[in-house]
Amino acid sequence: MRIASNTLSDSMVRQIQQLTSEQAKLQLQVSSGRRITQPEDDPAAVGRVLGLQSEQRQIKQYASNALRALTLAQTSYSGLQGLKKVSDRIGELSTLGTGALSADSMRTYATEVEQLLEQALQLANSRQGGDYIYGGTAVDSPPFVASRDADGKITGITYAGNAEQAAIPLSEATTVTPSTSGATNAGLADFLNTLVALRDSLNTGDIEGVRATHAGLTTAEDLIIGAMADNGGVQTRIEAAQSQQQDRAVNLESLISDESFVDLPTTIVKLNQTQTAYQAALASTAKIMNLSLLDYIR
């Protein structure tokens, strides 16, 4: 049997080149900790990683949306809480006004109502990040516009916002509206105008006029309490969505790691085996190459 020396040498060289390439690949994986350094290393895994990374970017956007929605809801709640405190004090003053014994006492109450009216207007025109929060989607201008007399006192309040609510996506299938409803915003305007009527009745000593504001004040208080309850529910939903997205982010990171990073102990074993095979191939090739042509003749 005759063996062509060129064929034999070419085969041995190819084997050594393959072992060299495999050894270099494993050494790179051990040093970098990554299983995939080039797309051709594992095209299918690269496709899966790209899909997972796309989902990661979506989750980051949802997390940003949730933070923005929660901040808006918290700011809205803070404003409603301030209006509730105003409403509580106004309720006390309206009760005191119906039992006042003198015109001076009623005018004193009217002065306090005037200050509370200005405070309530300021709260109703609260802003977050430069946007007005109680005007629906009309966020660029004050939603509650006051008409004033020559002395600067408020004579009436007009609601200049709209009844729409901005929906903020928290996931692929979930949105939330952290702002107050159009009905709540319009009700706040009614509350402010009731304060104007109460102040005027106290100033003129009109006890019947003071009594006439009680129904409006009760309605406003119920409105504010209801809006605060709704806001609390919205915050709970946002926080639940944040927790869910955090869990998804952790799971995705784990999946990407499984696809991209090497099992270091296993890879080191493979590297050692490849190095051993490489050394053996070099030794056997050197020995075979030193054989005479007569050694192949039988």
Side-chain angles (χ1 to χ4, degrees):
M1 177 181 179
R2 297 174 180 271
I3 300 177
S5 59
N6 286 343
T7 300
L8 182 61
S9 62
D10 288 346
S11 175
M12 290 186 294
V13 168
R14 283 196 300 271
Q15 289 176 2
I16 291 173
Q17 287 175 337
Q18 289 174 356
L19 289 169
T20 301
S21 175
E22 182 67 16
Q23 187 176 207
K25 177 182 176 181
L26 290 170
Q27 285 175 332
L28 180 59
Q29 289 179 353
V30 170
S31 62
S32 67
R34 290 184 174 274
R35 185 174 67 85
I36 302 172
T37 56
Q38 299 293 333
E40 59 268 22
D41 292 340
D42 190 339
V46 169
R48 290 192 295 270
V49 168
L50 291 176
L52 293 170
Q53 289 175 338
S54 176
E55 189 174 350
Q56 265 189 329
R57 289 190 292 272
Q58 287 182 335
I59 289 177
K60 287 181 180 179
Q61 183 59 58
Y62 290 138
S64 177
N65 291 352
L67 181 59
R68 180 164 61 92
L70 185 60
T71 301
L72 178 57
Q74 289 171 338
T75 304
S76 179
Y77 186 88
S78 178
L80 291 170
Q81 197 172 41
L83 288 167
K84 176 63 169 59
K85 291 179 180 179
V86 170
S87 175
D88 290 343
R89 180 55 183 164
I90 287 294
E92 294 173 0
L93 291 173
S94 67
T95 300
L96 291 171
T98 57
L101 299 178
S102 68
D104 289 340
S105 296
M106 296 186 74
R107 282 192 293 270
T108 299
Y109 299 149
T111 300
E112 186 174 352
V113 171
E114 176 71 26
Q115 298 303 315
L116 291 169
L117 172 59
E118 293 286 356
Q119 181 183 347
L121 177 62
Q122 183 178 0
L123 289 167
N125 282 329
S126 295
R127 305 175 77 177
Q128 195 276 316
D131 294 337
Y132 291 93
I133 62 176
Y134 298 119
T137 57
V139 298
D140 296 329
S141 57
F144 298 92
V145 181
S147 301
R148 298 179 182 270
D149 62 17
D151 296 326
K153 290 186 176 182
I154 297 173
T155 58
I157 302 291
T158 302
Y159 178 60
N162 59 41
E164 298 176 10
Q165 290 180 274
I168 300 177
L170 300 180
S171 70
E172 295 86 346
T174 305
T175 60
V176 68
T177 51
S179 60
T180 49
S181 67
T184 295
N185 297 337
L188 293 179
D190 293 339
F191 172 56
L192 295 173
N193 283 311
T194 300
L195 299 192
V196 173
L198 175 61
R199 178 206 60 193
D200 292 345
S201 295
L202 289 170
N203 267 327
T204 59
D206 182 3
I207 293 178
E208 289 304 317
V210 172
R211 289 196 180 100
T213 63
H214 287 180
L217 293 175
T218 299
T219 299
E221 183 173 6
D222 292 342
L223 177 84
I224 294 170
I225 291 173
M228 292 174 69
D230 290 342
N231 185 286
V234 167
Q235 290 192 45
T236 299
R237 285 183 59 201
I238 295 171
E239 290 167 353
Q242 285 180 316
S243 178
Q244 182 182 19
Q245 298 300 356
Q246 287 171 358
D247 290 342
R248 287 183 65 188
V250 171
N251 290 335
L252 282 173
E253 191 64 38
S254 177
L255 290 173
I256 291 173
S257 178
D258 290 343
E259 293 284 1
S260 302
F261 294 94
V262 298
D263 180 349
L264 198 56
T266 301
T267 305
I268 291 174
V269 170
K270 289 181 179 179
L271 176 59
N272 289 334
Q273 290 173 341
T274 303
Q275 289 173 335
T276 300
Y278 177 75
Q279 295 297 329
L282 286 178
S284 62
T285 299
K287 182 177 180 180
I288 291 172
M289 288 300 188
N290 286 331
L291 294 177
S292 165
L293 180 59
L294 294 177
D295 294 320
Y296 289 100
I297 300 174
R298 297 289 186 270

